[in-house]
Amino acid sequence: MDLLNLTSTSTYPESENETFELEEDDCHYEVLQPHMLVMRFWMVSIFGSTISFVSMIENIFLFLLFVTSRRHRRENLFMMLLAFFDIFVSMAYIMLMSVNVLSDVLMSPILVNVWYTYMIPILTISHIAMTSSSFLIVAASFERYCATLNTPYLRFAQRNRSFIALCAVFLGVVSKGTISIEFELVHHEQCIGQMMATTMKFRPFVFETQYHYLFRFWYRNFVTVFAPFFILLYLNIRIVKALTTYTTATVCLVTNGNTEDLQKRKASARAATRTLVMVGCCYIVSNIINVILTSLEQTNNELAVDYPDLYIILIDLVSLLTTMACAARLPIYLYCQPTLRREIFMRFKRLCVPCSKGETSMLERVPIATISEDKPKKSTPTKCCMHSPYETLL
């Protein structure tokens, strides 16, 4: 059963003739590219589902870690929301992609009917989550860009972090929330008990109005696909260039006069910068195929017809790379943030082995490495620099 590429922002059919249509006297179901079914089963239903399940566990753990800490909720707000949305993206991969391919392998009408019952709402939620995540990564990278280059916008980005995060989520809802009203299910009584008992098609308004051309083509492609990709690419290049160009650090902050403490804060800031750069690079790598595919579709509407095998593989890769990027968040945090790594290990140890009261108190005193800026200590502050109250993180 062809999913119509519905897990990718660039994969909706471009005309109403490409929707699921069924003749009144025809209940025959034919698998799309049957010679590729076994390969897709192993790639999507087995490997992809395993990655998605691991990603769900990782991001549930990260979300609970961030949401239960007041400091994390304030300073790692973007990463907390990113973990929250990654849970839904990973879950949607299993429910949409894996079950879809599995139904073709088993040729199960029951599995197909169950898939259709939740397909539209889960599809909408997954797209909102993916789009919101991309805007959140851009917002976090912009704040890190401002901190790294010590721009005058840093104070605004830090003071309005909650508002910026809310705007990112709002854009995701506005951009993809209308997916829920774009499709409708068609039930065929003459095919009850068969694979074609239920099909799906676009609602008439999608192609009969300017909605498709203005909103789905221009807005969604350029605002939710091209813009986040190239903005994040630019920010990452500027950040990496700054980190590799400057050999000395200009740190402008309020400290307690302790040089060792200052060096630790600089190291923590650099670790936070590396974390955001790697998260951004994961997004860029996982979306390269999506951007290329979207560009090709705009120049060749018959791409799926001319190269069906390649097209299906690329669509499956787009979804697989997306969920792999979700699963890569925790390893990135563990690799780039030593202090956060210790906190994660201790939290995991507490889940596996209940600790005593004394051990619990010691755990609560462990310093937390944050992805955003560190707060200066309040003990006998002395100014080290007058250029800016913020670190340049170099």
Side-chain angles (χ1 to χ4, degrees):
M1 179 170 51
D2 184 12
L3 190 59
L4 285 183
N5 313 326
L6 293 176
T7 53
S8 169
T9 52
S10 64
T11 56
Y12 299 116
E14 296 299 329
S15 67
E16 194 172 7
N17 293 331
E18 295 180 38
T19 58
F20 287 108
E21 297 292 346
L22 182 67
E23 298 294 336
E24 293 295 330
D25 58 346
D26 185 15
C27 293
H28 174 69
Y29 175 74
E30 184 175 349
V31 177
L32 182 67
Q33 303 302 106
H35 62 280
M36 301 179 61
L37 189 56
V38 174
M39 183 198 66
R40 295 188 67 209
F41 170 74
W42 285 102
M43 184 175 73
V44 177
S45 297
I46 302 298
F47 180 73
S49 295
T50 303
I51 296 297
S52 296
F53 181 76
V54 172
S55 175
M56 287 177 58
I57 300 300
E58 290 179 353
N59 284 287
I60 289 173
F61 179 82
L62 281 174
F63 177 72
L64 293 178
L65 176 70
F66 290 147
V67 79
T68 54
S69 169
R70 181 179 180 182
R71 182 176 181 181
H72 278 312
R73 289 197 303 269
R74 182 181 67 253
E75 299 180 354
N76 283 333
L77 177 63
F78 294 129
M79 299 300 104
M80 182 186 72
L81 293 176
L82 189 60
F84 176 76
F85 286 120
D86 283 348
I87 296 171
F88 291 96
V89 173
S90 302
M91 177 186 67
Y93 182 91
I94 297 175
M95 299 181 69
L96 293 176
M97 297 294 295
S98 300
V99 174
N100 173 253
V101 174
L102 185 62
S103 66
D104 279 350
V105 173
L106 301 178
M107 292 297 289
S108 171
I110 296 178
L111 196 58
V112 172
N113 289 330
V114 171
W115 184 81
Y116 273 120
T117 59
Y118 63 74
M119 186 270 177
I120 295 178
I122 294 299
L123 178 69
T124 305
I125 293 172
S126 67
H127 274 276
I128 291 175
M130 286 188 292
T131 305
S132 299
S133 296
S134 65
F135 289 138
L136 287 169
I137 294 174
V138 170
S141 298
F142 174 74
E143 181 178 324
R144 183 53 51 183
Y145 164 82
C146 293
T148 304
L149 276 71
N150 200 24
T151 70
Y153 301 106
L154 177 60
R155 187 184 297 271
F156 171 83
Q158 291 173 334
R159 289 183 174 180
N160 297 276
R161 187 179 294 134
S162 298
F163 176 74
I164 294 173
L166 181 63
C167 290
V169 176
F170 178 76
L171 278 175
V173 174
V174 170
S175 301
K176 297 300 180 67
T178 55
I179 290 177
S180 60
I181 62 174
E182 292 178 4
F183 301 96
E184 62 179 342
L185 300 180
V186 181
H187 302 282
H188 306 278
E189 296 183 358
Q190 73 274 21
C191 300
I192 292 179
Q194 302 182 47
M195 296 286 287
M196 298 296 288
T198 303
T199 57
M200 185 179 66
K201 67 177 184 179
F202 282 106
R203 295 183 183 274
F205 80 91
V206 174
F207 291 98
E208 292 178 359
T209 65
Q210 292 296 312
Y211 174 82
H212 169 71
Y213 180 74
L214 296 179
F215 188 77
R216 296 178 70 247
F217 176 78
W218 284 106
Y219 177 79
R220 279 190 185 156
N221 283 338
F222 288 91
V223 174
T224 69
V225 178
F226 293 111
F229 180 85
F230 288 106
I231 291 174
L232 197 58
L233 183 63
Y234 170 79
L235 293 177
N236 273 16
I237 291 175
R238 290 296 304 273
I239 291 173
V240 171
K241 183 179 179 180
L243 290 176
T244 56
T245 300
Y246 294 95
T247 57
T248 58
T250 304
V251 180
C252 306
L253 70 162
V254 178
T255 69
N256 60 356
N258 191 333
T259 304
E260 182 178 355
D261 176 71
L262 179 60
Q263 294 300 322
K264 288 181 179 179
R265 287 169 49 77
K266 286 167 56 181
S268 177
R270 286 193 293 267
T273 303
R274 288 195 299 269
T275 302
L276 256 299
V277 169
M278 291 190 67
V279 169
C281 288
C282 273
Y283 173 84
I284 292 171
V285 171
S286 65
N287 279 270
I288 286 178
I289 297 178
N290 189 26
V291 171
I292 295 175
L293 194 59
T294 302
S295 303
L296 292 176
E297 285 179 336
Q298 311 316 318
T299 58
N300 181 12
N301 292 332
E302 302 297 326
L303 185 64
V305 178
D306 297 339
Y307 308 97
D309 291 356
L310 177 62
Y311 191 76
I312 291 175
I313 291 298
L314 290 179
I315 292 303
D316 288 342
L317 282 177
V318 168
S319 301
L320 181 60
L321 289 174
T322 299
T323 193
M324 289 180 70
C326 296
R329 316 270 196 233
L330 180 58
I332 289 174
Y333 300 159
L334 294 176
Y335 177 77
C336 294
Q337 299 252 20
T339 311
L340 183 60
R341 178 170 63 243
R342 289 193 293 270
E343 181 187 2
I344 290 174
F345 286 160
M346 288 185 179
R347 184 66 63 90
F348 183 76
K349 182 179 179 180
R350 288 181 62 187
L351 293 176
C352 298
V353 181
C355 56
S356 63
K357 183 177 179 181
E359 290 174 333
T360 303
S361 300
M362 182 178 296
L363 175 62
E364 292 174 352
R365 292 195 296 269
V366 173
I368 300 173
T370 60
I371 292 178
S372 53
E373 82 287 348
D374 290 325
K375 296 292 183 180
K377 295 183 179 180
K378 295 183 179 180
S379 58
T380 61
T382 58
K383 289 191 177 181
C384 296
C385 179
M386 299 299 294
H387 299 299
S388 167
Y390 300 101
E391 301 176 61
T392 58
L393 313 182
L394 296 174

